[in-house]
Amino acid sequence: MQLAILGGAPAFLQPLHVGRPSLGDRETMLRRVNEIFDRRWFTNDGPLVKEFEAGIEELVGVKHCVAMCNATIALEIAIRALELRGEVIVPAYTFIATAHALHWQEITPVFADMDPATYNVAPESMERLITPRTTGIIGVHVWGRLCDTEAIESIAQKHRLKVMYDAAHAFGCSQRGRMAGSFGSCEVFSFHATKFINSFEGGAAVTNHDALAAKMRLMRNFGFAGYDKVLYPGTNGKMTEICAAMGLTSLEAMEAIVASNRKNYEAYADGLRGLPGISLIVYPAQERVNYQYVVIEVDPEASPLNRDELVAVLHGENVLARKYFWPGCHRMEPYRSLQPNAFLLLPQTDKVAARVIVLPTGQSLSPENAQVVCMLIKTALKKAPQVRSALHALYCHNS
Ligand code: T4K
């Protein structure tokens, strides 16, 4: 913990976290836990997992949901079931799991640049990276705003590539009225504790393709097709009943979670309006949106403080803002060593990743808390010279 740069005690006694889980109805969850105990059926395609899968299929409008223990394993299984190999194009601006799910299977993630207007991958940057070794594209719906699926799918068609999406952020979000989960050959959701809908840990691959769904179901359970019969080199990607219980409880609370996320987002939008060099992510009014991420960008040319200085101020006030996804995947190991020149094609990713701050939101935070966070940012920008010298003194003292 750092000192309050703005002077006095930190504005918040308890830290405000990004990614604080939403809970859903506690009594319902506890009832489900009791039922799990009574049934003594804890995992391996249990009734709650099936119910959770059916709920997702209905909400997303897809034929198949294959629930898994987390989204990283779901990505790995989807990648394997689609028989991707060689090189697969992914955005550099994503959580490291997207790239690792490929590298883990000896597939090379080839990093494409972003469109700074959307934080999503720039389709033309993807097309430039296609080689004879390319077998597929993984788009990522960053912060829940869907990437340009039309452009990506037309590039894929032209070059005979497979397309899947990392929809970890985009559960409950739509594009032209069509829900995330129904694009490409398949899409992967995350239900990690920090996500919009959470099952403690969890994920799912969703698809409209019967054969692909059947293959992923086998793969998540060691490749077993009934007693004593293994058809694929599968893994253990199963979701437990306790996770499905949480997932169902969270799913039931979905509208309430969106409502509180939206209130917080609007409080941030009010409080940050007009601050020099600060812009807040805008969500499409005509679409379904989960408002799970409050993302601001700090333009170092226009803001009196840069991104890192503002984050230091906020941490000093117990507002534990995050710099997601900084640095881009290409600047993390093993990719930094394996592809040392990748950055040359990623100017927008490097620029934007150095500007982004993700602010706390979720049901554990009130719009009043969001207003205080905005006041802190406003005060810090107003007192930029003092803030800078306080930070300088602090760093000199600590080094
Ligand atoms: N693709 C994308 C685009 C993703 O963003 C992610 C995950 C994945 C794939 C892979 O999905 P999973 O395999 O995880 O299902 C966190 C999450 O662990 C990760 O799931 C998430 N993206 C990523 C964006 O954030 P870290 O390393 O930043 O986690 P950590 O421990 O720093 O916690 C994040 C914040 O959440 C902190 O402020 C503390 C708070 N928190 C966390 C947990 C677990 C809580 O308040 N309570 C909690 O229980 O990765």
Side-chain angles (χ1 to χ4, degrees):
M1 176 49 54
Q2 214 170 266
L3 291 177
I5 311 293
L6 298 179
F12 293 96
L13 236 54
Q14 296 297 324
L16 290 191
H17 286 282
V18 169
R20 206 87 178 132
S22 299
L23 299 182
D25 184 64
R26 196 180 288 237
E27 288 309 313
T28 310
M29 176 63 191
L30 296 177
R31 174 181 56 74
R32 287 194 166 112
V33 173
N34 274 325
E35 288 168 6
I36 293 170
F37 273 55
D38 291 344
R39 268 194 300 272
R40 288 177 191 262
W41 193 275
F42 288 175
T43 182
N44 291 21
D45 223 6
L48 294 184
V49 168
K50 287 193 172 114
E51 195 183 333
F52 186 50
E53 290 179 335
I56 292 165
E57 286 161 2
E58 193 188 333
L59 198 130
V60 172
V62 279
K63 275 172 87 177
H64 306 283
C65 170
V66 185
M68 312 235 194
C69 53
N70 59 58
T72 307
I73 295 289
L75 283 168
E76 286 175 16
I77 286 181
I79 288 164
R80 206 172 180 104
L82 280 172
E83 296 176 12
L84 300 184
R85 50 177 70 91
E87 294 174 1
V88 170
I89 302 173
V90 291
Y93 188 72
T94 178
F95 190 59
I96 198 69
T98 323
H100 280 352
L102 292 163
H103 179 79
W104 196 252
Q105 323 195 50
E106 295 180 30
I107 300 167
T108 305
V110 177
F111 296 113
D113 208 3
M114 69 146 77
D115 172 354
T118 64
Y119 299 112
N120 280 322
V121 69
E124 64 282 3
S125 156
M126 286 190 147
E127 190 162 24
R128 280 198 291 271
L129 298 170
I130 295 170
T131 72
R133 295 193 70 226
T134 310
T135 58
I137 292 178
I138 304 182
V140 180
H141 306 312
V142 178
W143 313 132
R145 294 192 304 193
L146 272 65
C147 54
D148 189 346
T149 55
E150 222 170 66
I152 290 173
E153 280 161 41
S154 98
I155 292 169
Q157 219 169 15
K158 188 166 136 200
H159 298 273
R160 295 169 183 272
L161 302 174
K162 291 176 178 161
V163 179
M164 57 173 275
Y165 295 96
D166 176 338
H169 298 180
F171 190 77
C173 301
S174 69
Q175 184 176 64
R176 289 184 283 280
R178 188 172 150 192
M179 296 300 280
S182 60
F183 294 90
S185 292
C186 80
E187 303 208 44
V188 167
F189 294 122
S190 171
F191 302 117
H192 181 260
T194 56
K195 293 293 185 284
F196 168 54
I197 296 302
N198 94 83
S199 61
F200 301 135
E201 286 273 4
V206 290
T207 180
N208 281 314
H209 301 279
D210 301 345
L212 182 64
K215 201 167 167 183
M216 292 193 293
R217 279 190 194 286
L218 287 176
M219 285 181 164
R220 114 185 135 169
N221 186 26
F222 314 103
F224 271 109
Y227 288 151
D228 315 322
K229 189 174 162 195
V230 170
L231 296 184
Y232 287 104
T235 183
N236 184 351
K238 289 169 277 133
M239 177 178 268
T240 65
E241 286 291 275
I242 202 92
C243 287
M246 186 63 208
L248 281 165
T249 308
S250 186
L251 206 53
E252 286 156 3
M254 183 167 136
E255 294 312 323
I257 301 170
V258 180
S260 64
N261 281 351
R262 187 172 182 159
K263 276 193 194 140
N264 288 341
Y265 171 83
E266 283 165 358
Y268 276 118
D270 277 350
L272 297 171
R273 194 164 293 123
L275 295 189
I278 306 290
S279 54
L280 172 68
I281 190 169
V282 176
Y283 288 108
Q286 70 284 9
E287 301 290 355
R288 289 190 65 169
V289 174
N290 61 29
Y291 293 96
Q292 179 71 4
Y293 300 98
V294 175
V295 182
I296 63 169
E297 217 177 296
V298 184
D299 176 355
E301 315 269 294
S303 163
L305 293 174
N306 67 32
R307 188 271 303 267
D308 290 354
E309 290 166 337
L310 259 186
V311 168
V313 169
L314 290 173
H315 280 211
E317 301 293 338
N318 247 340
V319 179
L320 302 187
R322 298 291 296 259
K323 302 181 196 175
Y324 294 128
F325 298 108
W326 181 82
C329 293
H330 61 297
R331 292 192 181 273
M332 294 190 176
E333 294 297 354
Y335 315 108
R336 189 171 63 169
S337 299
L338 291 171
Q339 306 179 34
N341 296 324
F343 74 95
L344 291 171
L345 296 175
L346 302 168
Q348 298 299 340
T349 303
D350 277 343
K351 184 173 129 191
V352 174
R355 294 175 166 203
V356 166
I357 303 179
V358 179
L359 295 171
T361 185
Q363 286 189 315
S364 66
L365 191 122
S366 66
E368 290 72 31
N369 292 154
Q371 282 163 2
V372 173
V373 175
C374 295
M375 273 310 296
L376 293 170
I377 294 174
K378 198 171 175 175
T379 310
L381 295 180
K382 259 195 196 147
K383 294 183 170 178
Q386 296 96 304
V387 165
R388 211 166 259 141
S389 55
L391 283 172
H392 184 73
L394 193 67
Y395 288 138
C396 289
H397 178 76
N398 288 343
S399 61

